[in-house]
Structure formats: structure tokens, C-alpha cells
Amino acid sequence: MKIAVIGFGAAAVGFLKEIDTSKHEITVFEMNADIYSSSISGIRADGKLFVSSEMGGDLEEILYNKTLQKEIVDYYCKLAETEPEIGSRENLEELQKKFFINGFKLVESEFFHIGTDKLKIFLKNAHEEFSKKGIEFKFNSFVKDIEVNEKILIKYIDRKSREEKKEEFDKVYIAVGRSGFKLIDTLTEKYPDIILSNTKVDLGVRFELPDIVVKELNEALYEFKVKFKSSNGQLVRTFCNNPSGYVVTEKYSDFITVNGHAIHDQKSTNTNFAILVTHSFTKPFNDPNGYGSYIAKLSNILAGGDKIILQTYGDFKKGKRTKKLWKVFPTLNNDEYVLGDLNLVFPSKTSTSLIEFIDNLDKIIPGIADEENLLYGVEVKFYGKKLNNDLFENLKFIGDCSGHTRSIVHATAHGILEARKIAEN
Ligand SMILES: Cc1cc2nc3c(=O)[nH]c(=O)nc-3n(C[C@H](O)[C@H](O)[C@H](O)COP(=O)(O)OP(=O)(O)OC[C@H]3O[C@@H](n4cnc5c(N)ncnc54)[C@H](O)[C@@H]3O)c2cc1C
């Protein structure tokens, strides 16, 4: 069969690793110029892998298959030529109890951190392995539309020559992740029956504080993931903890958000993690991603353009613009933020949920609610529409763009399982 994979991210890695190239001819279309080029993706920044039956996606065949998850972790570490950073998991039960009695649920998971620097080695080795298998890579190829007939027609722009090109395949796997939302929007407009549901977006801040405050937790867990229900019923959670890490910006096509990462061989003295509030919508509203984008754009406008807002926790609580920092210093470059007031950005119920979360967490980790700790806004996590993979026999969505995965391990596993289905049939 002549098969195309759109996007070279985690889901594509799983698919390409597993597919039998003696039986199928595979072409990968990737919009970026090469394997390393910056793209909004965790296989190019940070690389925190986890084995858990409580997070990462909603496909049961992946959630409850820890053996597969572990195999994927080993594969990434082997190709990254590194030993991952891990938590000691000491006093785990005691920690679980402390969180529980203070209104939090500690998500059960094992974490393995590779680091942005080592991901480059992974990408080089994976690309070499796949090329040796005879897989063809078309970089600089932005897929803008797809026609589903007996065969599948891919329409793409060659970004080098700026020419529009077409190519036909027997089967196409779309693996464009979150950054490929334009292609997904085009397809869901054309084939609306693909959408199963579209109801949520997570909005919040990147929180930064000195390592010394969270040292014990970082050593025990590396990443701590907790969930909390605020008094107005919103679900609040931590995401992507980076011990001795760095805050960075994330550039979308028309707005900028904040994120964080850690580097294996270069450490800061601060820890950062996201605090995200889930915003759920019901009919008639059906554009949670639009809502999240508008809030992000509003924060950029208030920051004077393509910057994000930085505020101390004390000022956020008081509803005052931050004018000076003196105890905690940001790891984000100072030309990428403006000191401001995030209360002008978030709806009041979101601010309430963030404050309740931080104040309650302080009961477990004293120092979390220190007035000088830093809030960067906004951080947004788009869930993506949940898509129906049963509608077309010859067009499948794998990884985050399917709406069913939200992590490197789950997206990779999704690619592996879809490649195995081809072998079984
Ligand atoms: C900054 C950041 C850090 C993260 N860190 C972690 C982490 O530490 N651990 C973790 O588990 N998860 C992390 N994640 C989430 C993780 O990256 C994703 O869940 C995972 O990569 C999804 O895999 P995917 O293959 O679906 O998409 P991606 O890995 O995003 O790959 C999609 C690929 O498709 C390409 N593409 C998009 N549109 C087109 C198009 N129209 N034509 C051609 N190519 C296209 C993109 O350039 C990209 O290379 C992070 C996400 C971000 C943004």
C-alpha cells in the first residue's frame, strides 16, 4: 500500500517505528524545514515521559497497557542515548495522604525526564533509523487540504518553491498534533461527521518559584500532578513541573502563550509548573479553542504586542499591577514579558480558582503562596476536537490531533497501535 503520514511528531514516530516497510511504501509530509526545526511539540522541547493509568489520553488500550508505555519510554531513552532523570518516590503514601486531606488528588504516575538537549539526539537517531527503513521524508511540505475518495488526494505547499502540489495515496494517517489545527479545521468543516465532541479548554498561568521551596517534592516525584476542585466547581490542576527549569514562550500563528521546560545538562535555581483551570462549555457555544485564543490574544494586547504578562502572586491577589520584583527572579528573557495585572485578562471565576488552588497548596508545601512567587500568563492547553476514526477506512487521525491523546507516550502508542492494525489486516 502507498501510505502517507502527515506530520513528524510523537504519533508519527510510533507509526514509523512499527510499520513494515517491506510491504508498504511510506511518505512523511512535515511542514518544518528539518527534524529539529522549532515546532510546538514535546518531542522538541523538554521530553518528560510518563507511565500512568490516570493521564495522558483517553484510549483505554493505551491507558491500561503499562507494558507498552514502558517500552515507549525505553525506546525514547535508547535513541536519546541518555539515562532519564526520575523521582525517588520516597514517602509516596505520606505525600498522597497530605494532598488528599487538603482537598487535592495526587495523580499516580512514574516520570522520566529526557531534556530538550537530549531530544535532538533522539530526533537524529529516529530519523536515521526510519530513513534506513526506506521511509521518504518531505520536509517544508505544508499540507493544506485532503480529498477523501477511493484514493486520498493530498494538497500541499512546497514551502521552498512556494508551489502548490498534489499527490495520491491509498491510505493517509494525519498526525499533525495541536499545531496542525488549521488542517483539522479545514477537514472538520468539509466532513462535519468526523467530530465526536468539542467542549473544553484549559487556561491558567505558569507559576515560578525557587527550587528550595519544592525541593522535597521534586526529589520524590520529579513531576507532581495534582487535581483540585475550586469552590465554584472548576477543576484546577498542575501540569508540566520543571525542577531547575526555564520558562519559555510558545508562539502560535497569531498569539503567544507561556510554557516551561528543563534542560538535562543546564540548570536554573527555579522550579516552574503550569496551574490550569478547565473551562467547560455547553450548547450553543462550541468554540472552546476560539475562547482560549481570544484570552491569550488579550494578554498579548495588554502586554503591548507579542509579549506575555508577569505578575507576583501577592499583586495578583490584591488586583494590583506588579511594578517591581525583588525576591524571585524570572528565568524567562526580560524582553519577552511585561510586568502587569493578569486580573485584566482572566474572568473573575478563573482568578478565584487559581487563588484557592495556590493558597490550599501552601498548606502542604509552605512557601508556595509567598507573595513574591511569579505568575506568567497566559498558559493555554487546547484539547482539540475528539475525532471519529471509524468514518473513513482510508483516512485516520493519530496522536493529539485525534483529540484522544495529550502526551508523548500516548501519541506514540496511538501510532504504534494503528500500524499494528495494518499488519493484523
Ligand atoms: C512546549 C511543549 C512541551 C511539551 N512537553 C511535553 C512533555 O514533556 N511530555 C509529554 O508527554 N508531552 C509534552 N507535550 C505534549 C506533547 O508534545 C504532545 O502530546 C505530543 O507531541 C503529541 O504528538 P503528535 O504526534 O500528536 O503531535 P506533535 O508531536 O505536535 O507533531 C505534529 C507534527 O505535525 C507537523 N504539522 C502540523 N501541521 C502540519 C501540516 N498542515 N502539514 C505538515 N506538517 C504539519 C508539526 O510541525 C509537528 O512536527 C508538550 C507540548 C508542548 C507544546
Side-chain angles (χ1 to χ4, degrees), residues 7-11 29-32 39-42 44-48 141-143 175-180 250 259 399-400 406-408 411:
F8 182 51
F29 292 81
E30 167 58 53
M31 66 178 178
N32 283 314
S39 151
I40 303 174
S41 165
R44 290 174 180 94
D46 197 35
K48 211 177 289 108
S141 300
F142 175 77
V143 175
V176 291
R178 282 184 252 160
S179 59
E250 191 172 303
N259 213 311
D400 285 18
R406 269 179 291 133
S407 63
I408 296 171

PDB file of all heavy atoms in Angstrom, residues 7-11 29-32 39-42 44-48 141-143 175-180 250 259 399-400 406-408 411, ligand 1:
ATOM      1  N   GLY A   7       2.866  14.977   9.203  1.00  0.00           N
ATOM      2  CA  GLY A   7       3.446  15.437  10.464  1.00  0.00           C
ATOM      3  C   GLY A   7       4.487  14.460  10.977  1.00  0.00           C
ATOM      4  O   GLY A   7       4.289  13.237  10.876  1.00  0.00           O
ATOM      5  N   PHE A   8       5.609  14.996  11.481  1.00  0.00           N
ATOM      6  CA  PHE A   8       6.631  14.133  12.080  1.00  0.00           C
ATOM      7  C   PHE A   8       6.782  14.508  13.551  1.00  0.00           C
ATOM      8  O   PHE A   8       7.663  15.253  13.952  1.00  0.00           O
ATOM      9  CB  PHE A   8       7.963  14.275  11.330  1.00  0.00           C
ATOM     10  CG  PHE A   8       9.046  13.378  11.871  1.00  0.00           C
ATOM     11  CD1 PHE A   8       8.823  12.017  12.051  1.00  0.00           C
ATOM     12  CD2 PHE A   8      10.286  13.891  12.218  1.00  0.00           C
ATOM     13  CE1 PHE A   8       9.827  11.190  12.555  1.00  0.00           C
ATOM     14  CE2 PHE A   8      11.296  13.071  12.725  1.00  0.00           C
ATOM     15  CZ  PHE A   8      11.053  11.720  12.887  1.00  0.00           C
ATOM     16  N   GLY A   9       5.834  14.012  14.357  1.00  0.00           N
ATOM     17  CA  GLY A   9       5.871  14.210  15.803  1.00  0.00           C
ATOM     18  C   GLY A   9       5.809  12.857  16.482  1.00  0.00           C
ATOM     19  O   GLY A   9       6.181  11.829  15.888  1.00  0.00           O
ATOM     20  N   ALA A  10       5.302  12.848  17.719  1.00  0.00           N
ATOM     21  CA  ALA A  10       5.317  11.621  18.514  1.00  0.00           C
ATOM     22  C   ALA A  10       4.481  10.495  17.883  1.00  0.00           C
ATOM     23  O   ALA A  10       4.910   9.336  17.849  1.00  0.00           O
ATOM     24  CB  ALA A  10       4.816  11.928  19.918  1.00  0.00           C
ATOM     25  N   ALA A  11       3.289  10.830  17.379  1.00  0.00           N
ATOM     26  CA  ALA A  11       2.422   9.788  16.817  1.00  0.00           C
ATOM     27  C   ALA A  11       3.061   9.173  15.579  1.00  0.00           C
ATOM     28  O   ALA A  11       3.032   7.949  15.375  1.00  0.00           O
ATOM     29  CB  ALA A  11       1.057  10.383  16.471  1.00  0.00           C
ATOM     30  N   PHE A  29       5.020  13.801   5.298  1.00  0.00           N
ATOM     31  CA  PHE A  29       4.973  15.223   4.945  1.00  0.00           C
ATOM     32  C   PHE A  29       5.111  16.027   6.241  1.00  0.00           C
ATOM     33  O   PHE A  29       4.306  15.857   7.152  1.00  0.00           O
ATOM     34  CB  PHE A  29       3.617  15.582   4.305  1.00  0.00           C
ATOM     35  CG  PHE A  29       3.421  14.965   2.955  1.00  0.00           C
ATOM     36  CD1 PHE A  29       3.009  13.643   2.825  1.00  0.00           C
ATOM     37  CD2 PHE A  29       3.648  15.710   1.808  1.00  0.00           C
ATOM     38  CE1 PHE A  29       2.827  13.073   1.578  1.00  0.00           C
ATOM     39  CE2 PHE A  29       3.473  15.148   0.552  1.00  0.00           C
ATOM     40  CZ  PHE A  29       3.059  13.821   0.434  1.00  0.00           C
ATOM     41  N   GLU A  30       6.131  16.880   6.328  1.00  0.00           N
ATOM     42  CA  GLU A  30       6.324  17.697   7.536  1.00  0.00           C
ATOM     43  C   GLU A  30       6.496  19.152   7.118  1.00  0.00           C
ATOM     44  O   GLU A  30       7.317  19.455   6.250  1.00  0.00           O
ATOM     45  CB  GLU A  30       7.535  17.180   8.331  1.00  0.00           C
ATOM     46  CG  GLU A  30       8.046  18.088   9.419  1.00  0.00           C
ATOM     47  CD  GLU A  30       7.024  18.468  10.501  1.00  0.00           C
ATOM     48  OE1 GLU A  30       6.402  17.573  11.090  1.00  0.00           O
ATOM     49  OE2 GLU A  30       6.856  19.692  10.736  1.00  0.00           O
ATOM     50  N   MET A  31       5.735  20.036   7.769  1.00  0.00           N
ATOM     51  CA  MET A  31       5.783  21.446   7.347  1.00  0.00           C
ATOM     52  C   MET A  31       7.096  22.140   7.705  1.00  0.00           C
ATOM     53  O   MET A  31       7.491  23.100   7.059  1.00  0.00           O
ATOM     54  CB  MET A  31       4.602  22.217   7.926  1.00  0.00           C
ATOM     55  CG  MET A  31       4.593  22.361   9.419  1.00  0.00           C
ATOM     56  SD  MET A  31       3.144  23.337   9.896  1.00  0.00           S
ATOM     57  CE  MET A  31       3.296  23.343  11.663  1.00  0.00           C
ATOM     58  N   ASN A  32       7.785  21.639   8.726  1.00  0.00           N
ATOM     59  CA  ASN A  32       9.039  22.285   9.122  1.00  0.00           C
ATOM     60  C   ASN A  32      10.182  21.940   8.173  1.00  0.00           C
ATOM     61  O   ASN A  32      10.129  20.952   7.456  1.00  0.00           O
ATOM     62  CB  ASN A  32       9.411  21.871  10.544  1.00  0.00           C
ATOM     63  CG  ASN A  32       8.574  22.627  11.549  1.00  0.00           C
ATOM     64  OD1 ASN A  32       8.410  23.828  11.440  1.00  0.00           O
ATOM     65  ND2 ASN A  32       8.018  21.907  12.504  1.00  0.00           N
ATOM     66  N   SER A  39       8.922  23.656  16.596  1.00  0.00           N
ATOM     67  CA  SER A  39       7.526  23.358  16.347  1.00  0.00           C
ATOM     68  C   SER A  39       6.926  23.215  17.742  1.00  0.00           C
ATOM     69  O   SER A  39       7.636  22.935  18.690  1.00  0.00           O
ATOM     70  CB  SER A  39       7.433  22.044  15.592  1.00  0.00           C
ATOM     71  OG  SER A  39       6.238  21.399  15.869  1.00  0.00           O
ATOM     72  N   ILE A  40       5.623  23.435  17.845  1.00  0.00           N
ATOM     73  CA  ILE A  40       5.031  23.352  19.176  1.00  0.00           C
ATOM     74  C   ILE A  40       4.849  21.873  19.505  1.00  0.00           C
ATOM     75  O   ILE A  40       3.851  21.275  19.167  1.00  0.00           O
ATOM     76  CB  ILE A  40       3.711  24.127  19.207  1.00  0.00           C
ATOM     77  CG1 ILE A  40       3.991  25.562  18.788  1.00  0.00           C
ATOM     78  CG2 ILE A  40       3.076  24.079  20.574  1.00  0.00           C
ATOM     79  CD1 ILE A  40       2.782  26.402  18.642  1.00  0.00           C
ATOM     80  N   SER A  41       5.855  21.284  20.113  1.00  0.00           N
ATOM     81  CA  SER A  41       5.779  19.849  20.353  1.00  0.00           C
ATOM     82  C   SER A  41       6.745  19.403  21.439  1.00  0.00           C
ATOM     83  O   SER A  41       7.863  19.900  21.522  1.00  0.00           O
ATOM     84  CB  SER A  41       6.120  19.115  19.063  1.00  0.00           C
ATOM     85  OG  SER A  41       6.384  17.766  19.322  1.00  0.00           O
ATOM     86  N   GLY A  42       6.284  18.485  22.244  1.00  0.00           N
ATOM     87  CA  GLY A  42       7.091  17.968  23.348  1.00  0.00           C
ATOM     88  C   GLY A  42       8.201  17.035  22.909  1.00  0.00           C
ATOM     89  O   GLY A  42       9.002  16.611  23.735  1.00  0.00           O
ATOM     90  N   ARG A  44      10.306  18.076  20.836  1.00  0.00           N
ATOM     91  CA  ARG A  44      11.393  19.019  20.520  1.00  0.00           C
ATOM     92  C   ARG A  44      11.721  19.888  21.734  1.00  0.00           C
ATOM     93  O   ARG A  44      12.690  20.610  21.728  1.00  0.00           O
ATOM     94  CB  ARG A  44      11.018  19.850  19.301  1.00  0.00           C
ATOM     95  CG  ARG A  44      11.035  18.967  18.039  1.00  0.00           C
ATOM     96  CD  ARG A  44      10.540  19.645  16.803  1.00  0.00           C
ATOM     97  NE  ARG A  44      10.580  18.741  15.666  1.00  0.00           N
ATOM     98  CZ  ARG A  44       9.550  17.991  15.261  1.00  0.00           C
ATOM     99  NH1 ARG A  44       8.402  18.028  15.896  1.00  0.00           N
ATOM    100  NH2 ARG A  44       9.678  17.186  14.227  1.00  0.00           N
ATOM    101  N   ALA A  45      10.887  19.837  22.784  1.00  0.00           N
ATOM    102  CA  ALA A  45      11.160  20.616  23.997  1.00  0.00           C
ATOM    103  C   ALA A  45      10.797  19.798  25.234  1.00  0.00           C
ATOM    104  O   ALA A  45       9.699  19.233  25.304  1.00  0.00           O
ATOM    105  CB  ALA A  45      10.347  21.905  23.987  1.00  0.00           C
ATOM    106  N   ASP A  46      11.720  19.695  26.146  1.00  0.00           N
ATOM    107  CA  ASP A  46      11.557  19.091  27.465  1.00  0.00           C
ATOM    108  C   ASP A  46      11.577  17.549  27.476  1.00  0.00           C
ATOM    109  O   ASP A  46      12.436  16.959  28.078  1.00  0.00           O
ATOM    110  CB  ASP A  46      10.308  19.618  28.182  1.00  0.00           C
ATOM    111  CG  ASP A  46      10.393  19.315  29.664  1.00  0.00           C
ATOM    112  OD1 ASP A  46      11.527  19.366  30.186  1.00  0.00           O
ATOM    113  OD2 ASP A  46       9.374  19.025  30.289  1.00  0.00           O
ATOM    114  N   GLY A  47      10.590  16.908  26.872  1.00  0.00           N
ATOM    115  CA  GLY A  47      10.613  15.446  26.799  1.00  0.00           C
ATOM    116  C   GLY A  47      10.452  14.756  28.131  1.00  0.00           C
ATOM    117  O   GLY A  47      11.312  14.012  28.582  1.00  0.00           O
ATOM    118  N   LYS A  48       9.313  15.036  28.771  1.00  0.00           N
ATOM    119  CA  LYS A  48       9.021  14.341  30.028  1.00  0.00           C
ATOM    120  C   LYS A  48       8.074  13.196  29.700  1.00  0.00           C
ATOM    121  O   LYS A  48       6.969  13.416  29.224  1.00  0.00           O
ATOM    122  CB  LYS A  48       8.349  15.323  30.993  1.00  0.00           C
ATOM    123  CG  LYS A  48       8.669  15.011  32.430  1.00  0.00           C
ATOM    124  CD  LYS A  48       8.052  16.020  33.353  1.00  0.00           C
ATOM    125  CE  LYS A  48       8.671  17.379  33.314  1.00  0.00           C
ATOM    126  NZ  LYS A  48       7.861  18.383  32.673  1.00  0.00           N
ATOM    127  N   SER A 141       6.891  20.773   3.661  1.00  0.00           N
ATOM    128  CA  SER A 141       5.660  20.455   2.932  1.00  0.00           C
ATOM    129  C   SER A 141       4.464  20.671   3.848  1.00  0.00           C
ATOM    130  O   SER A 141       4.203  19.863   4.749  1.00  0.00           O
ATOM    131  CB  SER A 141       5.683  18.998   2.468  1.00  0.00           C
ATOM    132  OG  SER A 141       6.780  18.783   1.627  1.00  0.00           O
ATOM    133  N   PHE A 142       3.776  21.762   3.638  1.00  0.00           N
ATOM    134  CA  PHE A 142       2.625  22.105   4.480  1.00  0.00           C
ATOM    135  C   PHE A 142       1.351  21.584   3.819  1.00  0.00           C
ATOM    136  O   PHE A 142       0.965  22.040   2.746  1.00  0.00           O
ATOM    137  CB  PHE A 142       2.554  23.627   4.663  1.00  0.00           C
ATOM    138  CG  PHE A 142       1.332  24.073   5.410  1.00  0.00           C
ATOM    139  CD1 PHE A 142       1.257  23.940   6.792  1.00  0.00           C
ATOM    140  CD2 PHE A 142       0.238  24.609   4.733  1.00  0.00           C
ATOM    141  CE1 PHE A 142       0.122  24.346   7.484  1.00  0.00           C
ATOM    142  CE2 PHE A 142      -0.897  25.013   5.417  1.00  0.00           C
ATOM    143  CZ  PHE A 142      -0.951  24.879   6.798  1.00  0.00           C
ATOM    144  N   VAL A 143       0.732  20.599   4.469  1.00  0.00           N
ATOM    145  CA  VAL A 143      -0.490  20.023   3.891  1.00  0.00           C
ATOM    146  C   VAL A 143      -1.660  20.934   4.220  1.00  0.00           C
ATOM    147  O   VAL A 143      -1.917  21.232   5.391  1.00  0.00           O
ATOM    148  CB  VAL A 143      -0.729  18.596   4.430  1.00  0.00           C
ATOM    149  CG1 VAL A 143      -2.061  18.047   3.928  1.00  0.00           C
ATOM    150  CG2 VAL A 143       0.425  17.686   4.022  1.00  0.00           C
ATOM    151  N   ALA A 175      -1.205  13.129  11.501  1.00  0.00           N
ATOM    152  CA  ALA A 175      -0.532  13.133  12.811  1.00  0.00           C
ATOM    153  C   ALA A 175       0.009  14.531  13.062  1.00  0.00           C
ATOM    154  O   ALA A 175       1.192  14.705  13.354  1.00  0.00           O
ATOM    155  CB  ALA A 175       0.589  12.092  12.809  1.00  0.00           C
ATOM    156  N   VAL A 176      -0.864  15.535  12.917  1.00  0.00           N
ATOM    157  CA  VAL A 176      -0.381  16.927  12.916  1.00  0.00           C
ATOM    158  C   VAL A 176      -0.386  17.591  14.303  1.00  0.00           C
ATOM    159  O   VAL A 176      -0.068  18.776  14.419  1.00  0.00           O
ATOM    160  CB  VAL A 176      -1.184  17.804  11.910  1.00  0.00           C
ATOM    161  CG1 VAL A 176      -0.873  17.394  10.488  1.00  0.00           C
ATOM    162  CG2 VAL A 176      -2.675  17.745  12.190  1.00  0.00           C
ATOM    163  N   GLY A 177      -0.744  16.836  15.339  1.00  0.00           N
ATOM    164  CA  GLY A 177      -0.685  17.379  16.702  1.00  0.00           C
ATOM    165  C   GLY A 177      -1.561  18.604  16.879  1.00  0.00           C
ATOM    166  O   GLY A 177      -2.482  18.860  16.098  1.00  0.00           O
ATOM    167  N   ARG A 178      -1.225  19.395  17.905  1.00  0.00           N
ATOM    168  CA  ARG A 178      -2.020  20.590  18.185  1.00  0.00           C
ATOM    169  C   ARG A 178      -1.721  21.708  17.197  1.00  0.00           C
ATOM    170  O   ARG A 178      -2.573  22.505  16.860  1.00  0.00           O
ATOM    171  CB  ARG A 178      -1.732  21.083  19.599  1.00  0.00           C
ATOM    172  CG  ARG A 178      -2.442  20.277  20.652  1.00  0.00           C
ATOM    173  CD  ARG A 178      -2.183  20.890  21.996  1.00  0.00           C
ATOM    174  NE  ARG A 178      -1.276  20.063  22.766  1.00  0.00           N
ATOM    175  CZ  ARG A 178      -0.579  20.492  23.793  1.00  0.00           C
ATOM    176  NH1 ARG A 178      -0.664  21.736  24.187  1.00  0.00           N
ATOM    177  NH2 ARG A 178       0.213  19.682  24.466  1.00  0.00           N
ATOM    178  N   SER A 179      -0.450  21.764  16.745  1.00  0.00           N
ATOM    179  CA  SER A 179      -0.082  22.863  15.845  1.00  0.00           C
ATOM    180  C   SER A 179      -0.731  22.709  14.471  1.00  0.00           C
ATOM    181  O   SER A 179      -0.707  23.631  13.675  1.00  0.00           O
ATOM    182  CB  SER A 179       1.439  22.950  15.708  1.00  0.00           C
ATOM    183  OG  SER A 179       1.941  21.730  15.213  1.00  0.00           O
ATOM    184  N   GLY A 180      -1.326  21.546  14.211  1.00  0.00           N
ATOM    185  CA  GLY A 180      -1.955  21.326  12.907  1.00  0.00           C
ATOM    186  C   GLY A 180      -3.442  21.626  12.899  1.00  0.00           C
ATOM    187  O   GLY A 180      -4.182  21.103  12.057  1.00  0.00           O
ATOM    188  N   GLU A 250       5.594  30.318  23.902  1.00  0.00           N
ATOM    189  CA  GLU A 250       5.166  29.372  22.869  1.00  0.00           C
ATOM    190  C   GLU A 250       4.452  30.200  21.804  1.00  0.00           C
ATOM    191  O   GLU A 250       3.473  30.882  22.114  1.00  0.00           O
ATOM    192  CB  GLU A 250       4.204  28.381  23.534  1.00  0.00           C
ATOM    193  CG  GLU A 250       3.863  27.183  22.718  1.00  0.00           C
ATOM    194  CD  GLU A 250       3.048  26.180  23.559  1.00  0.00           C
ATOM    195  OE1 GLU A 250       3.523  25.741  24.629  1.00  0.00           O
ATOM    196  OE2 GLU A 250       1.926  25.875  23.147  1.00  0.00           O
ATOM    197  N   ASN A 259       5.061  28.718  28.521  1.00  0.00           N
ATOM    198  CA  ASN A 259       5.271  27.294  28.764  1.00  0.00           C
ATOM    199  C   ASN A 259       6.539  27.150  29.594  1.00  0.00           C
ATOM    200  O   ASN A 259       7.151  28.161  29.965  1.00  0.00           O
ATOM    201  CB  ASN A 259       5.410  26.564  27.420  1.00  0.00           C
ATOM    202  CG  ASN A 259       4.851  25.162  27.493  1.00  0.00           C
ATOM    203  OD1 ASN A 259       5.171  24.410  28.410  1.00  0.00           O
ATOM    204  ND2 ASN A 259       4.017  24.813  26.546  1.00  0.00           N
ATOM    205  N   GLY A 399      -2.621  10.442  17.352  1.00  0.00           N
ATOM    206  CA  GLY A 399      -1.981  11.403  18.256  1.00  0.00           C
ATOM    207  C   GLY A 399      -2.930  12.514  18.671  1.00  0.00           C
ATOM    208  O   GLY A 399      -4.157  12.376  18.612  1.00  0.00           O
ATOM    209  N   ASP A 400      -2.340  13.651  19.070  1.00  0.00           N
ATOM    210  CA  ASP A 400      -3.126  14.724  19.691  1.00  0.00           C
ATOM    211  C   ASP A 400      -4.202  15.304  18.779  1.00  0.00           C
ATOM    212  O   ASP A 400      -5.237  15.763  19.256  1.00  0.00           O
ATOM    213  CB  ASP A 400      -2.200  15.860  20.151  1.00  0.00           C
ATOM    214  CG  ASP A 400      -1.417  15.502  21.404  1.00  0.00           C
ATOM    215  OD1 ASP A 400      -1.316  14.289  21.715  1.00  0.00           O
ATOM    216  OD2 ASP A 400      -0.894  16.405  22.066  1.00  0.00           O
ATOM    217  N   ARG A 406      -2.816  13.231  24.746  1.00  0.00           N
ATOM    218  CA  ARG A 406      -2.302  14.534  25.192  1.00  0.00           C
ATOM    219  C   ARG A 406      -0.894  14.401  25.744  1.00  0.00           C
ATOM    220  O   ARG A 406      -0.522  15.069  26.694  1.00  0.00           O
ATOM    221  CB  ARG A 406      -3.233  15.111  26.272  1.00  0.00           C
ATOM    222  CG  ARG A 406      -4.330  15.978  25.712  1.00  0.00           C
ATOM    223  CD  ARG A 406      -5.234  16.500  26.784  1.00  0.00           C
ATOM    224  NE  ARG A 406      -6.025  15.445  27.385  1.00  0.00           N
ATOM    225  CZ  ARG A 406      -6.178  15.269  28.678  1.00  0.00           C
ATOM    226  NH1 ARG A 406      -5.575  16.058  29.532  1.00  0.00           N
ATOM    227  NH2 ARG A 406      -6.931  14.300  29.139  1.00  0.00           N
ATOM    228  N   SER A 407      -0.133  13.482  25.233  1.00  0.00           N
ATOM    229  CA  SER A 407       1.219  13.276  25.767  1.00  0.00           C
ATOM    230  C   SER A 407       2.052  12.524  24.745  1.00  0.00           C
ATOM    231  O   SER A 407       1.513  11.898  23.822  1.00  0.00           O
ATOM    232  CB  SER A 407       1.159  12.450  27.050  1.00  0.00           C
ATOM    233  OG  SER A 407       0.641  11.168  26.748  1.00  0.00           O
ATOM    234  N   ILE A 408       3.363  12.583  24.960  1.00  0.00           N
ATOM    235  CA  ILE A 408       4.277  11.916  24.029  1.00  0.00           C
ATOM    236  C   ILE A 408       4.016  10.404  24.017  1.00  0.00           C
ATOM    237  O   ILE A 408       3.899   9.791  22.956  1.00  0.00           O
ATOM    238  CB  ILE A 408       5.741  12.184  24.448  1.00  0.00           C
ATOM    239  CG1 ILE A 408       6.054  13.679  24.349  1.00  0.00           C
ATOM    240  CG2 ILE A 408       6.708  11.376  23.603  1.00  0.00           C
ATOM    241  CD1 ILE A 408       7.390  14.087  24.945  1.00  0.00           C
ATOM    242  N   ALA A 411       0.579   9.531  22.409  1.00  0.00           N
ATOM    243  CA  ALA A 411       0.564   9.788  20.962  1.00  0.00           C
ATOM    244  C   ALA A 411       1.409   8.729  20.241  1.00  0.00           C
ATOM    245  O   ALA A 411       0.998   8.182  19.208  1.00  0.00           O
ATOM    246  CB  ALA A 411       1.094  11.190  20.673  1.00  0.00           C
TER     247      ALA A 411
HETATM  248  C1  LIG B   1       6.230  23.030  24.569  1.00  0.00           C
HETATM  249  C2  LIG B   1       5.597  21.693  24.822  1.00  0.00           C
HETATM  250  C3  LIG B   1       6.179  20.817  25.714  1.00  0.00           C
HETATM  251  C4  LIG B   1       5.590  19.583  25.941  1.00  0.00           C
HETATM  252  N1  LIG B   1       6.197  18.740  26.786  1.00  0.00           N
HETATM  253  C5  LIG B   1       5.693  17.503  26.939  1.00  0.00           C
HETATM  254  C6  LIG B   1       6.352  16.586  27.783  1.00  0.00           C
HETATM  255  O1  LIG B   1       7.371  16.902  28.378  1.00  0.00           O
HETATM  256  N2  LIG B   1       5.811  15.343  27.918  1.00  0.00           N
HETATM  257  C7  LIG B   1       4.683  14.959  27.249  1.00  0.00           C
HETATM  258  O2  LIG B   1       4.262  13.804  27.406  1.00  0.00           O
HETATM  259  N3  LIG B   1       4.040  15.819  26.453  1.00  0.00           N
HETATM  260  C8  LIG B   1       4.516  17.067  26.267  1.00  0.00           C
HETATM  261  N4  LIG B   1       3.880  17.928  25.449  1.00  0.00           N
HETATM  262  C9  LIG B   1       2.735  17.421  24.670  1.00  0.00           C
HETATM  263  C10 LIG B   1       3.295  16.545  23.513  1.00  0.00           C
HETATM  264  O3  LIG B   1       4.215  17.314  22.773  1.00  0.00           O
HETATM  265  C11 LIG B   1       2.209  16.083  22.595  1.00  0.00           C
HETATM  266  O4  LIG B   1       1.205  15.444  23.340  1.00  0.00           O
HETATM  267  C12 LIG B   1       2.762  15.094  21.529  1.00  0.00           C
HETATM  268  O5  LIG B   1       3.918  15.595  20.911  1.00  0.00           O
HETATM  269  C13 LIG B   1       1.701  14.838  20.503  1.00  0.00           C
HETATM  270  O6  LIG B   1       2.242  14.120  19.441  1.00  0.00           O
HETATM  271  P1  LIG B   1       1.644  14.303  17.976  1.00  0.00           P
HETATM  272  O7  LIG B   1       2.426  13.439  17.070  1.00  0.00           O
HETATM  273  O8  LIG B   1       0.176  14.136  18.026  1.00  0.00           O
HETATM  274  O9  LIG B   1       1.903  15.833  17.602  1.00  0.00           O
HETATM  275  P2  LIG B   1       3.282  16.629  17.534  1.00  0.00           P
HETATM  276  O10 LIG B   1       4.343  15.913  18.271  1.00  0.00           O
HETATM  277  O11 LIG B   1       2.948  18.015  17.890  1.00  0.00           O
HETATM  278  O12 LIG B   1       3.673  16.557  15.988  1.00  0.00           O
HETATM  279  C14 LIG B   1       2.903  17.152  14.979  1.00  0.00           C
HETATM  280  C15 LIG B   1       3.799  17.435  13.776  1.00  0.00           C
HETATM  281  O13 LIG B   1       2.959  17.783  12.676  1.00  0.00           O
HETATM  282  C16 LIG B   1       3.536  18.880  11.975  1.00  0.00           C
HETATM  283  N5  LIG B   1       2.430  19.565  11.259  1.00  0.00           N
HETATM  284  C17 LIG B   1       1.410  20.273  11.810  1.00  0.00           C
HETATM  285  N6  LIG B   1       0.559  20.699  10.848  1.00  0.00           N
HETATM  286  C18 LIG B   1       1.068  20.266   9.661  1.00  0.00           C
HETATM  287  C19 LIG B   1       0.618  20.389   8.314  1.00  0.00           C
HETATM  288  N7  LIG B   1      -0.514  21.022   7.988  1.00  0.00           N
HETATM  289  N8  LIG B   1       1.377  19.833   7.329  1.00  0.00           N
HETATM  290  C20 LIG B   1       2.545  19.173   7.639  1.00  0.00           C
HETATM  291  N9  LIG B   1       3.000  19.020   8.921  1.00  0.00           N
HETATM  292  C21 LIG B   1       2.257  19.544   9.918  1.00  0.00           C
HETATM  293  C22 LIG B   1       4.177  19.718  13.088  1.00  0.00           C
HETATM  294  O14 LIG B   1       5.185  20.562  12.577  1.00  0.00           O
HETATM  295  C23 LIG B   1       4.728  18.634  14.020  1.00  0.00           C
HETATM  296  O15 LIG B   1       6.045  18.276  13.693  1.00  0.00           O
HETATM  297  C24 LIG B   1       4.404  19.199  25.252  1.00  0.00           C
HETATM  298  C25 LIG B   1       3.820  20.081  24.366  1.00  0.00           C
HETATM  299  C26 LIG B   1       4.394  21.330  24.163  1.00  0.00           C
HETATM  300  C27 LIG B   1       3.721  22.275  23.224  1.00  0.00           C
END
